[in-house]
Amino acid sequence: MLYIFRLVDNIFPEDPEDGLVKANMEKLTFYALSAPEKLDRIGAYLSERLSRDVARHRYGYVCIAMEALDQLLMACHCQSINLFVESFLKMVRKLLEADKPNLQILGTNSFVKFANIEEDTPSYHRSYDFFVSRFSEMCHSSYEDPDFRTKIRMAGIKGLQGVVRKTVNDELQANIWDPQHMDKIVPSLLFNLQSGEGTESRSPSPLQSSKKEKESPAELTERCFRELLGRAAYGNIKNAVTPVLMHLDNHSLWEGKTFAVRCFKIIMYSIQSQHSHLVIQQLLGHLDANSKSSATVRAGIVEVLLEAAAIAASGSVGPTVLEVFNTLLRHLRLSVDYELTGSYDCTNIGTKIIKEHEERQLQEAVIRTIGSFANTLPTYQRSEVMLFIMGKIPIPGMHPTLPSTGSGPEGNRMIQVMLLKSLRQVTCGFQTTNMLTALPNSFLDPLLSFALQEDAEIRLLVLEILVSLIDRHDNLPKFSTISIISDISVLKLKVDKCSRQDNLFMKKHAQHLYRHIYLCCKEQSSVRPHFEKLYSLLALISMELANEEVVVDLIRVALALQDLALSSEEMLPVYNRCAVHALSSAYLNLISQLTTVPAFCQHVHEVIEMRQKESPYLLPEDVFIENPKYDKRRVIELLFQQAKITEVLGGSGYNTERLATPYVPQFTDEDRLSKRKSIGETISLQVEVESRNSPEKEERTPAEEITFETLKNAIVDSVGVEEQEKERRRQVVEKFQKAPFEEIAAHCGARATMLQSKLNQIFEITIRPPPSPSGTITSSYGQTQSRSVPVYEMKFPDLCVY
């Protein structure tokens, strides 16, 4: 024992400025290696001397003692090192508790060296709780001297990094991921990261940094933070991210957005990619928790979600795809409610008055975030999201009011606009090989119904969504403006042959699309963007979904549009009439070059040249620039001739009979209820139905003769039918709202009984056996009935037997 004391004493010189006596230190090291069981006594005596020197302020000897401890620690790797480590940590703790900054830094440096040593044997009783607390406290140092303050903070950061390295992979140690530790480590790191907010995140990959001679606390903090997150396993992500959310809340850092976004960029780039969705879920949960916070706070969280989703890519949504979008849509609806009501109840501060522009900024941020999440999804999941959003939009006649919106029609309209904007974001960049399965009736029918609304903004959004869905080869930018293109080859269009799935899609939905294009042109509130989108829609259908039959129908639609512009029954303004003529001319110019029929191109070119000379307001280059003049008699002379087009296309194999038949849109109940149906369309509907019947297969039924009385009755009845239909709908709604349950049940039961009786009649007619050659029988009521005779007993004429 005395020999150990003498060996230890000999390493200390008489003058501490001379430093460690190296020869004697080598002897002590050799003895420790030769007799490792003595390490604990060597450590205990060194610890005793260090404590005495600290108390006597002999700091030179303190440095020598720590240097000796470091050398023994680095040299000795044996099973007895655990006992020595206890003495070492006791001395480090003594230094960290000292008031002198130099001693704190000295103790931290020794601890960092110890943290980098990989121990062979486990330790069952070692605790690092003090070091976590002390290093976190040093990270928040407010020492007067700025140089020492910076050094102490950096020492604290390095100490926390050492604790993490020492404990994160040792299952026998206290779990460093416990909230009691994370609540100290993470805020300490964020505090120093915030102090150097001006510096940008240097590298998107974790555990990567450049060694600099003078590293700032913020740079060191970022490196440490990345390392901490990079070591986080699946079950530890929540404990690591929760303190970040709390720190941003407590210091009101969501509103500035910059620091919050920077923090979560570091998190998303540092954690393992398969854990990304856990961070997204925590952010969504935090957004729910802040539903009563100010719009700027909610917008800050949404902006962070936007950036995080872009980084996480395909791993951002995780298994609960629709739940992510449901949360975002719920907050979009809440924001609309707050904007309309002007205030909301807050649990802490009572009623809070909102600022409309802040809520609008939040709504735009939510819509962008929805699009960002959608871009990470495969096609089939994006189709599900589109259907999900469509199911949330209040559709007139189906679910006209929202349970959460108490502000009437204006609230419904705002929800429609916001959700359609969200849908537009989701459909941006949407590409599918099978339009029929990606866009089912349950999606297209509600979407197209919005094209019939009088609200111009909603109609424009619907057109933008349709264009995004159909554009699968990025041709849309080439048709962003409506114009007469003399040579479309300069556009370098990407045109593929129409697939079988596309043909089926058009066979099923083409008439609906044509009808809504036609009806959109009838709207008096349509302006330039509407006509530009209609042109884009016609052009993209021609390139993405067109076969010979579709091309013929599109030409018929274009010719019907110029007839619409001439119609005196439609109360269209002069601007709209000219715009429809311009749309028709621009599209016929495009389709004539796509069909590559020279005579067709020549006719279109001649009409356009005549318009350029005599009536330029019938072309898009002039009509959208200044207020046009309109001379109907002159316009009639400058129309595209359906007979001429039918003749030239018939020579190239197109269906001349179909081309010669004027296009008349199919009308449904929703058009009649929406007041979109005119008398002329009512009369000509039968003509269109007849034109679809094939003359080779069946004989046409002569059309009903139209007289003056017929027209008069149609005019009188059309108004009355609309009023009756409105009244009937009102009564049905009122009945189901106010009538007792028993009455509603009886009514539904009666309808079911009536339906069953009708079905029984139909089955009786269709299933009744055919008349038998054996004759008929007479019932007791005097009616003749066919007698059922088995087939094998029937007698057939010889000519019927094979």
Side-chain angles (χ1 to χ4, degrees), residues 687-708:
V687 180
E688 173 67 10
V689 174
E690 289 176 357
S691 68
R692 293 198 184 93
N693 297 328
S694 174
E696 290 81 9
K697 293 185 178 180
E698 61 186 71
E699 186 175 337
R700 292 191 178 183
T701 305
E704 180 184 354
E705 183 180 359
I706 299 173
T707 63
F708 174 79

mmCIF file with all atom_site columns, all heavy atoms in Angstrom, residues 687-708:
data_model
loop_
_atom_site.group_PDB
_atom_site.id
_atom_site.type_symbol
_atom_site.label_atom_id
_atom_site.label_alt_id
_atom_site.label_comp_id
_atom_site.label_asym_id
_atom_site.label_entity_id
_atom_site.label_seq_id
_atom_site.pdbx_PDB_ins_code
_atom_site.Cartn_x
_atom_site.Cartn_y
_atom_site.Cartn_z
_atom_site.occupancy
_atom_site.B_iso_or_equiv
_atom_site.pdbx_formal_charge
_atom_site.auth_seq_id
_atom_site.auth_comp_id
_atom_site.auth_asym_id
_atom_site.auth_atom_id
_atom_site.pdbx_PDB_model_num
ATOM 1   N N   . VAL A 1 687 ? -83.628 14.639 -81.567 1.00 0.00 ? 687 VAL A N   1
ATOM 2   C CA  . VAL A 1 687 ? -82.839 14.510 -82.780 1.00 0.00 ? 687 VAL A CA  1
ATOM 3   C C   . VAL A 1 687 ? -81.487 13.881 -82.475 1.00 0.00 ? 687 VAL A C   1
ATOM 4   O O   . VAL A 1 687 ? -80.997 13.019 -83.207 1.00 0.00 ? 687 VAL A O   1
ATOM 5   C CB  . VAL A 1 687 ? -82.650 15.897 -83.442 1.00 0.00 ? 687 VAL A CB  1
ATOM 6   C CG1 . VAL A 1 687 ? -81.826 15.769 -84.704 1.00 0.00 ? 687 VAL A CG1 1
ATOM 7   C CG2 . VAL A 1 687 ? -84.002 16.512 -83.733 1.00 0.00 ? 687 VAL A CG2 1
ATOM 8   N N   . GLU A 1 688 ? -80.871 14.300 -81.363 1.00 0.00 ? 688 GLU A N   1
ATOM 9   C CA  . GLU A 1 688 ? -79.565 13.768 -80.988 1.00 0.00 ? 688 GLU A CA  1
ATOM 10  C C   . GLU A 1 688 ? -79.663 12.287 -80.648 1.00 0.00 ? 688 GLU A C   1
ATOM 11  O O   . GLU A 1 688 ? -78.812 11.488 -81.018 1.00 0.00 ? 688 GLU A O   1
ATOM 12  C CB  . GLU A 1 688 ? -79.022 14.551 -79.788 1.00 0.00 ? 688 GLU A CB  1
ATOM 13  C CG  . GLU A 1 688 ? -77.738 13.982 -79.175 1.00 0.00 ? 688 GLU A CG  1
ATOM 14  C CD  . GLU A 1 688 ? -76.563 14.103 -80.099 1.00 0.00 ? 688 GLU A CD  1
ATOM 15  O OE1 . GLU A 1 688 ? -76.704 14.789 -81.128 1.00 0.00 ? 688 GLU A OE1 1
ATOM 16  O OE2 . GLU A 1 688 ? -75.524 13.491 -79.817 1.00 0.00 ? 688 GLU A OE2 1
ATOM 17  N N   . VAL A 1 689 ? -80.734 11.926 -79.928 1.00 0.00 ? 689 VAL A N   1
ATOM 18  C CA  . VAL A 1 689 ? -80.909 10.513 -79.571 1.00 0.00 ? 689 VAL A CA  1
ATOM 19  C C   . VAL A 1 689 ? -81.063 9.674  -80.815 1.00 0.00 ? 689 VAL A C   1
ATOM 20  O O   . VAL A 1 689 ? -80.495 8.590  -80.947 1.00 0.00 ? 689 VAL A O   1
ATOM 21  C CB  . VAL A 1 689 ? -82.132 10.361 -78.642 1.00 0.00 ? 689 VAL A CB  1
ATOM 22  C CG1 . VAL A 1 689 ? -82.426 8.892  -78.388 1.00 0.00 ? 689 VAL A CG1 1
ATOM 23  C CG2 . VAL A 1 689 ? -81.887 11.084 -77.332 1.00 0.00 ? 689 VAL A CG2 1
ATOM 24  N N   . GLU A 1 690 ? -81.815 10.174 -81.793 1.00 0.00 ? 690 GLU A N   1
ATOM 25  C CA  . GLU A 1 690 ? -82.019 9.423  -83.018 1.00 0.00 ? 690 GLU A CA  1
ATOM 26  C C   . GLU A 1 690 ? -80.728 9.272  -83.802 1.00 0.00 ? 690 GLU A C   1
ATOM 27  O O   . GLU A 1 690 ? -80.475 8.248  -84.420 1.00 0.00 ? 690 GLU A O   1
ATOM 28  C CB  . GLU A 1 690 ? -83.072 10.128 -83.883 1.00 0.00 ? 690 GLU A CB  1
ATOM 29  C CG  . GLU A 1 690 ? -84.484 10.024 -83.322 1.00 0.00 ? 690 GLU A CG  1
ATOM 30  C CD  . GLU A 1 690 ? -85.465 10.805 -84.161 1.00 0.00 ? 690 GLU A CD  1
ATOM 31  O OE1 . GLU A 1 690 ? -85.015 11.456 -85.122 1.00 0.00 ? 690 GLU A OE1 1
ATOM 32  O OE2 . GLU A 1 690 ? -86.642 10.767 -83.853 1.00 0.00 ? 690 GLU A OE2 1
ATOM 33  N N   . SER A 1 691 ? -79.892 10.299 -83.782 1.00 0.00 ? 691 SER A N   1
ATOM 34  C CA  . SER A 1 691 ? -78.673 10.262 -84.579 1.00 0.00 ? 691 SER A CA  1
ATOM 35  C C   . SER A 1 691 ? -77.694 9.215  -84.077 1.00 0.00 ? 691 SER A C   1
ATOM 36  O O   . SER A 1 691 ? -76.799 8.809  -84.792 1.00 0.00 ? 691 SER A O   1
ATOM 37  C CB  . SER A 1 691 ? -77.994 11.635 -84.551 1.00 0.00 ? 691 SER A CB  1
ATOM 38  O OG  . SER A 1 691 ? -77.506 11.906 -83.251 1.00 0.00 ? 691 SER A OG  1
ATOM 39  N N   . ARG A 1 692 ? -77.860 8.774  -82.809 1.00 0.00 ? 692 ARG A N   1
ATOM 40  C CA  . ARG A 1 692 ? -76.949 7.780  -82.265 1.00 0.00 ? 692 ARG A CA  1
ATOM 41  C C   . ARG A 1 692 ? -77.346 6.361  -82.665 1.00 0.00 ? 692 ARG A C   1
ATOM 42  O O   . ARG A 1 692 ? -76.588 5.429  -82.479 1.00 0.00 ? 692 ARG A O   1
ATOM 43  C CB  . ARG A 1 692 ? -76.904 7.893  -80.742 1.00 0.00 ? 692 ARG A CB  1
ATOM 44  C CG  . ARG A 1 692 ? -76.286 9.167  -80.267 1.00 0.00 ? 692 ARG A CG  1
ATOM 45  C CD  . ARG A 1 692 ? -75.873 9.038  -78.825 1.00 0.00 ? 692 ARG A CD  1
ATOM 46  N NE  . ARG A 1 692 ? -75.361 10.335 -78.365 1.00 0.00 ? 692 ARG A NE  1
ATOM 47  C CZ  . ARG A 1 692 ? -76.098 11.240 -77.779 1.00 0.00 ? 692 ARG A CZ  1
ATOM 48  N NH1 . ARG A 1 692 ? -77.362 11.020 -77.553 1.00 0.00 ? 692 ARG A NH1 1
ATOM 49  N NH2 . ARG A 1 692 ? -75.571 12.391 -77.406 1.00 0.00 ? 692 ARG A NH2 1
ATOM 50  N N   . ASN A 1 693 ? -78.588 6.183  -83.116 1.00 0.00 ? 693 ASN A N   1
ATOM 51  C CA  . ASN A 1 693 ? -79.034 4.845  -83.507 1.00 0.00 ? 693 ASN A CA  1
ATOM 52  C C   . ASN A 1 693 ? -78.452 4.485  -84.867 1.00 0.00 ? 693 ASN A C   1
ATOM 53  O O   . ASN A 1 693 ? -78.434 5.288  -85.789 1.00 0.00 ? 693 ASN A O   1
ATOM 54  C CB  . ASN A 1 693 ? -80.558 4.784  -83.563 1.00 0.00 ? 693 ASN A CB  1
ATOM 55  C CG  . ASN A 1 693 ? -81.177 5.048  -82.196 1.00 0.00 ? 693 ASN A CG  1
ATOM 56  O OD1 . ASN A 1 693 ? -80.581 4.709  -81.191 1.00 0.00 ? 693 ASN A OD1 1
ATOM 57  N ND2 . ASN A 1 693 ? -82.364 5.645  -82.188 1.00 0.00 ? 693 ASN A ND2 1
ATOM 58  N N   . SER A 1 694 ? -77.995 3.275  -85.006 1.00 0.00 ? 694 SER A N   1
ATOM 59  C CA  . SER A 1 694 ? -77.378 2.845  -86.264 1.00 0.00 ? 694 SER A CA  1
ATOM 60  C C   . SER A 1 694 ? -78.453 2.528  -87.282 1.00 0.00 ? 694 SER A C   1
ATOM 61  O O   . SER A 1 694 ? -79.340 1.712  -87.023 1.00 0.00 ? 694 SER A O   1
ATOM 62  C CB  . SER A 1 694 ? -76.522 1.603  -86.009 1.00 0.00 ? 694 SER A CB  1
ATOM 63  O OG  . SER A 1 694 ? -76.031 1.099  -87.212 1.00 0.00 ? 694 SER A OG  1
ATOM 64  N N   . PRO A 1 695 ? -78.409 3.131  -88.482 1.00 0.00 ? 695 PRO A N   1
ATOM 65  C CA  . PRO A 1 695 ? -79.449 2.878  -89.492 1.00 0.00 ? 695 PRO A CA  1
ATOM 66  C C   . PRO A 1 695 ? -79.373 1.464  -90.055 1.00 0.00 ? 695 PRO A C   1
ATOM 67  O O   . PRO A 1 695 ? -80.338 0.962  -90.594 1.00 0.00 ? 695 PRO A O   1
ATOM 68  C CB  . PRO A 1 695 ? -79.162 3.927  -90.566 1.00 0.00 ? 695 PRO A CB  1
ATOM 69  C CG  . PRO A 1 695 ? -77.721 4.258  -90.398 1.00 0.00 ? 695 PRO A CG  1
ATOM 70  C CD  . PRO A 1 695 ? -77.425 4.103  -88.944 1.00 0.00 ? 695 PRO A CD  1
ATOM 71  N N   . GLU A 1 696 ? -78.170 0.822  -89.948 1.00 0.00 ? 696 GLU A N   1
ATOM 72  C CA  . GLU A 1 696 ? -78.045 -0.514 -90.521 1.00 0.00 ? 696 GLU A CA  1
ATOM 73  C C   . GLU A 1 696 ? -78.750 -1.557 -89.654 1.00 0.00 ? 696 GLU A C   1
ATOM 74  O O   . GLU A 1 696 ? -79.155 -2.600 -90.137 1.00 0.00 ? 696 GLU A O   1
ATOM 75  C CB  . GLU A 1 696 ? -76.576 -0.898 -90.655 1.00 0.00 ? 696 GLU A CB  1
ATOM 76  C CG  . GLU A 1 696 ? -75.819 -0.113 -91.715 1.00 0.00 ? 696 GLU A CG  1
ATOM 77  C CD  . GLU A 1 696 ? -75.384 1.244  -91.202 1.00 0.00 ? 696 GLU A CD  1
ATOM 78  O OE1 . GLU A 1 696 ? -75.531 1.471  -89.987 1.00 0.00 ? 696 GLU A OE1 1
ATOM 79  O OE2 . GLU A 1 696 ? -74.916 2.062  -92.001 1.00 0.00 ? 696 GLU A OE2 1
ATOM 80  N N   . LYS A 1 697 ? -78.865 -1.290 -88.367 1.00 0.00 ? 697 LYS A N   1
ATOM 81  C CA  . LYS A 1 697 ? -79.371 -2.304 -87.447 1.00 0.00 ? 697 LYS A CA  1
ATOM 82  C C   . LYS A 1 697 ? -80.867 -2.167 -87.179 1.00 0.00 ? 697 LYS A C   1
ATOM 83  O O   . LYS A 1 697 ? -81.548 -3.150 -86.926 1.00 0.00 ? 697 LYS A O   1
ATOM 84  C CB  . LYS A 1 697 ? -78.619 -2.238 -86.128 1.00 0.00 ? 697 LYS A CB  1
ATOM 85  C CG  . LYS A 1 697 ? -77.162 -2.636 -86.285 1.00 0.00 ? 697 LYS A CG  1
ATOM 86  C CD  . LYS A 1 697 ? -76.484 -2.665 -84.943 1.00 0.00 ? 697 LYS A CD  1
ATOM 87  C CE  . LYS A 1 697 ? -75.037 -3.111 -85.082 1.00 0.00 ? 697 LYS A CE  1
ATOM 88  N NZ  . LYS A 1 697 ? -74.355 -3.149 -83.780 1.00 0.00 ? 697 LYS A NZ  1
ATOM 89  N N   . GLU A 1 698 ? -81.379 -0.955 -87.163 1.00 0.00 ? 698 GLU A N   1
ATOM 90  C CA  . GLU A 1 698 ? -82.785 -0.797 -86.833 1.00 0.00 ? 698 GLU A CA  1
ATOM 91  C C   . GLU A 1 698 ? -83.377 0.350  -87.628 1.00 0.00 ? 698 GLU A C   1
ATOM 92  O O   . GLU A 1 698 ? -82.696 1.270  -88.047 1.00 0.00 ? 698 GLU A O   1
ATOM 93  C CB  . GLU A 1 698 ? -82.950 -0.527 -85.333 1.00 0.00 ? 698 GLU A CB  1
ATOM 94  C CG  . GLU A 1 698 ? -82.275 0.732  -84.875 1.00 0.00 ? 698 GLU A CG  1
ATOM 95  C CD  . GLU A 1 698 ? -82.359 0.873  -83.367 1.00 0.00 ? 698 GLU A CD  1
ATOM 96  O OE1 . GLU A 1 698 ? -81.679 0.116  -82.689 1.00 0.00 ? 698 GLU A OE1 1
ATOM 97  O OE2 . GLU A 1 698 ? -83.111 1.749  -82.920 1.00 0.00 ? 698 GLU A OE2 1
ATOM 98  N N   . GLU A 1 699 ? -84.654 0.297  -87.806 1.00 0.00 ? 699 GLU A N   1
ATOM 99  C CA  . GLU A 1 699 ? -85.347 1.314  -88.587 1.00 0.00 ? 699 GLU A CA  1
ATOM 100 C C   . GLU A 1 699 ? -85.726 2.476  -87.680 1.00 0.00 ? 699 GLU A C   1
ATOM 101 O O   . GLU A 1 699 ? -86.193 2.281  -86.574 1.00 0.00 ? 699 GLU A O   1
ATOM 102 C CB  . GLU A 1 699 ? -86.619 0.693  -89.189 1.00 0.00 ? 699 GLU A CB  1
ATOM 103 C CG  . GLU A 1 699 ? -87.341 1.624  -90.141 1.00 0.00 ? 699 GLU A CG  1
ATOM 104 C CD  . GLU A 1 699 ? -88.515 0.917  -90.780 1.00 0.00 ? 699 GLU A CD  1
ATOM 105 O OE1 . GLU A 1 699 ? -88.488 -0.318 -90.832 1.00 0.00 ? 699 GLU A OE1 1
ATOM 106 O OE2 . GLU A 1 699 ? -89.446 1.615  -91.190 1.00 0.00 ? 699 GLU A OE2 1
ATOM 107 N N   . ARG A 1 700 ? -85.468 3.674  -88.144 1.00 0.00 ? 700 ARG A N   1
ATOM 108 C CA  . ARG A 1 700 ? -85.745 4.859  -87.333 1.00 0.00 ? 700 ARG A CA  1
ATOM 109 C C   . ARG A 1 700 ? -87.237 5.076  -87.184 1.00 0.00 ? 700 ARG A C   1
ATOM 110 O O   . ARG A 1 700 ? -88.016 4.905  -88.115 1.00 0.00 ? 700 ARG A O   1
ATOM 111 C CB  . ARG A 1 700 ? -85.119 6.102  -87.957 1.00 0.00 ? 700 ARG A CB  1
ATOM 112 C CG  . ARG A 1 700 ? -83.616 6.104  -87.919 1.00 0.00 ? 700 ARG A CG  1
ATOM 113 C CD  . ARG A 1 700 ? -83.100 7.459  -88.296 1.00 0.00 ? 700 ARG A CD  1
ATOM 114 N NE  . ARG A 1 700 ? -81.660 7.485  -88.226 1.00 0.00 ? 700 ARG A NE  1
ATOM 115 C CZ  . ARG A 1 700 ? -80.945 8.579  -88.451 1.00 0.00 ? 700 ARG A CZ  1
ATOM 116 N NH1 . ARG A 1 700 ? -81.543 9.701  -88.745 1.00 0.00 ? 700 ARG A NH1 1
ATOM 117 N NH2 . ARG A 1 700 ? -79.635 8.524  -88.363 1.00 0.00 ? 700 ARG A NH2 1
ATOM 118 N N   . THR A 1 701 ? -87.624 5.514  -85.987 1.00 0.00 ? 701 THR A N   1
ATOM 119 C CA  . THR A 1 701 ? -89.017 5.888  -85.735 1.00 0.00 ? 701 THR A CA  1
ATOM 120 C C   . THR A 1 701 ? -89.206 7.342  -86.156 1.00 0.00 ? 701 THR A C   1
ATOM 121 O O   . THR A 1 701 ? -88.379 8.189  -85.812 1.00 0.00 ? 701 THR A O   1
ATOM 122 C CB  . THR A 1 701 ? -89.344 5.744  -84.242 1.00 0.00 ? 701 THR A CB  1
ATOM 123 O OG1 . THR A 1 701 ? -89.028 4.417  -83.842 1.00 0.00 ? 701 THR A OG1 1
ATOM 124 C CG2 . THR A 1 701 ? -90.805 6.051  -83.977 1.00 0.00 ? 701 THR A CG2 1
ATOM 125 N N   . PRO A 1 702 ? -90.225 7.660  -86.904 1.00 0.00 ? 702 PRO A N   1
ATOM 126 C CA  . PRO A 1 702 ? -90.406 9.056  -87.340 1.00 0.00 ? 702 PRO A CA  1
ATOM 127 C C   . PRO A 1 702 ? -90.570 9.977  -86.145 1.00 0.00 ? 702 PRO A C   1
ATOM 128 O O   . PRO A 1 702 ? -91.256 9.654  -85.178 1.00 0.00 ? 702 PRO A O   1
ATOM 129 C CB  . PRO A 1 702 ? -91.690 8.998  -88.187 1.00 0.00 ? 702 PRO A CB  1
ATOM 130 C CG  . PRO A 1 702 ? -92.367 7.739  -87.773 1.00 0.00 ? 702 PRO A CG  1
ATOM 131 C CD  . PRO A 1 702 ? -91.289 6.771  -87.396 1.00 0.00 ? 702 PRO A CD  1
ATOM 132 N N   . ALA A 1 703 ? -89.900 11.111 -86.203 1.00 0.00 ? 703 ALA A N   1
ATOM 133 C CA  . ALA A 1 703 ? -89.931 12.071 -85.095 1.00 0.00 ? 703 ALA A CA  1
ATOM 134 C C   . ALA A 1 703 ? -91.327 12.686 -84.968 1.00 0.00 ? 703 ALA A C   1
ATOM 135 O O   . ALA A 1 703 ? -92.071 12.815 -85.943 1.00 0.00 ? 703 ALA A O   1
ATOM 136 C CB  . ALA A 1 703 ? -88.903 13.171 -85.327 1.00 0.00 ? 703 ALA A CB  1
ATOM 137 N N   . GLU A 1 704 ? -91.653 13.061 -83.736 1.00 0.00 ? 704 GLU A N   1
ATOM 138 C CA  . GLU A 1 704 ? -92.954 13.685 -83.493 1.00 0.00 ? 704 GLU A CA  1
ATOM 139 C C   . GLU A 1 704 ? -93.005 15.050 -84.196 1.00 0.00 ? 704 GLU A C   1
ATOM 140 O O   . GLU A 1 704 ? -92.044 15.813 -84.181 1.00 0.00 ? 704 GLU A O   1
ATOM 141 C CB  . GLU A 1 704 ? -93.143 13.879 -81.985 1.00 0.00 ? 704 GLU A CB  1
ATOM 142 C CG  . GLU A 1 704 ? -94.470 14.521 -81.641 1.00 0.00 ? 704 GLU A CG  1
ATOM 143 C CD  . GLU A 1 704 ? -94.569 14.784 -80.144 1.00 0.00 ? 704 GLU A CD  1
ATOM 144 O OE1 . GLU A 1 704 ? -93.652 14.350 -79.418 1.00 0.00 ? 704 GLU A OE1 1
ATOM 145 O OE2 . GLU A 1 704 ? -95.550 15.411 -79.719 1.00 0.00 ? 704 GLU A OE2 1
ATOM 146 N N   . GLU A 1 705 ? -94.151 15.339 -84.787 1.00 0.00 ? 705 GLU A N   1
ATOM 147 C CA  . GLU A 1 705 ? -94.289 16.598 -85.511 1.00 0.00 ? 705 GLU A CA  1
ATOM 148 C C   . GLU A 1 705 ? -94.329 17.760 -84.510 1.00 0.00 ? 705 GLU A C   1
ATOM 149 O O   . GLU A 1 705 ? -95.051 17.718 -83.520 1.00 0.00 ? 705 GLU A O   1
ATOM 150 C CB  . GLU A 1 705 ? -95.582 16.577 -86.336 1.00 0.00 ? 705 GLU A CB  1
ATOM 151 C CG  . GLU A 1 705 ? -95.758 17.831 -87.178 1.00 0.00 ? 705 GLU A CG  1
ATOM 152 C CD  . GLU A 1 705 ? -97.051 17.789 -87.979 1.00 0.00 ? 705 GLU A CD  1
ATOM 153 O OE1 . GLU A 1 705 ? -97.777 16.775 -87.886 1.00 0.00 ? 705 GLU A OE1 1
ATOM 154 O OE2 . GLU A 1 705 ? -97.342 18.764 -88.685 1.00 0.00 ? 705 GLU A OE2 1
ATOM 155 N N   . ILE A 1 706 ? -93.516 18.784 -84.765 1.00 0.00 ? 706 ILE A N   1
ATOM 156 C CA  . ILE A 1 706 ? -93.420 19.937 -83.871 1.00 0.00 ? 706 ILE A CA  1
ATOM 157 C C   . ILE A 1 706 ? -94.295 21.054 -84.439 1.00 0.00 ? 706 ILE A C   1
ATOM 158 O O   . ILE A 1 706 ? -94.081 21.529 -85.558 1.00 0.00 ? 706 ILE A O   1
ATOM 159 C CB  . ILE A 1 706 ? -91.965 20.404 -83.754 1.00 0.00 ? 706 ILE A CB  1
ATOM 160 C CG1 . ILE A 1 706 ? -91.125 19.280 -83.166 1.00 0.00 ? 706 ILE A CG1 1
ATOM 161 C CG2 . ILE A 1 706 ? -91.863 21.656 -82.896 1.00 0.00 ? 706 ILE A CG2 1
ATOM 162 C CD1 . ILE A 1 706 ? -89.645 19.587 -83.163 1.00 0.00 ? 706 ILE A CD1 1
ATOM 163 N N   . THR A 1 707 ? -95.283 21.461 -83.665 1.00 0.00 ? 707 THR A N   1
ATOM 164 C CA  . THR A 1 707 ? -96.211 22.512 -84.086 1.00 0.00 ? 707 THR A CA  1
ATOM 165 C C   . THR A 1 707 ? -96.065 23.704 -83.155 1.00 0.00 ? 707 THR A C   1
ATOM 166 O O   . THR A 1 707 ? -95.311 23.679 -82.169 1.00 0.00 ? 707 THR A O   1
ATOM 167 C CB  . THR A 1 707 ? -97.653 21.994 -84.047 1.00 0.00 ? 707 THR A CB  1
ATOM 168 O OG1 . THR A 1 707 ? -97.978 21.661 -82.693 1.00 0.00 ? 707 THR A OG1 1
ATOM 169 C CG2 . THR A 1 707 ? -97.824 20.754 -84.933 1.00 0.00 ? 707 THR A CG2 1
ATOM 170 N N   . PHE A 1 708 ? -96.828 24.759 -83.466 1.00 0.00 ? 708 PHE A N   1
ATOM 171 C CA  . PHE A 1 708 ? -96.812 25.941 -82.618 1.00 0.00 ? 708 PHE A CA  1
ATOM 172 C C   . PHE A 1 708 ? -97.315 25.613 -81.219 1.00 0.00 ? 708 PHE A C   1
ATOM 173 O O   . PHE A 1 708 ? -96.801 26.115 -80.217 1.00 0.00 ? 708 PHE A O   1
ATOM 174 C CB  . PHE A 1 708 ? -97.694 27.030 -83.259 1.00 0.00 ? 708 PHE A CB  1
ATOM 175 C CG  . PHE A 1 708 ? -97.851 28.247 -82.390 1.00 0.00 ? 708 PHE A CG  1
ATOM 176 C CD1 . PHE A 1 708 ? -96.838 29.197 -82.321 1.00 0.00 ? 708 PHE A CD1 1
ATOM 177 C CD2 . PHE A 1 708 ? -99.002 28.436 -81.619 1.00 0.00 ? 708 PHE A CD2 1
ATOM 178 C CE1 . PHE A 1 708 ? -96.964 30.314 -81.509 1.00 0.00 ? 708 PHE A CE1 1
ATOM 179 C CE2 . PHE A 1 708 ? -99.126 29.545 -80.821 1.00 0.00 ? 708 PHE A CE2 1
ATOM 180 C CZ  . PHE A 1 708 ? -98.125 30.489 -80.758 1.00 0.00 ? 708 PHE A CZ  1
#
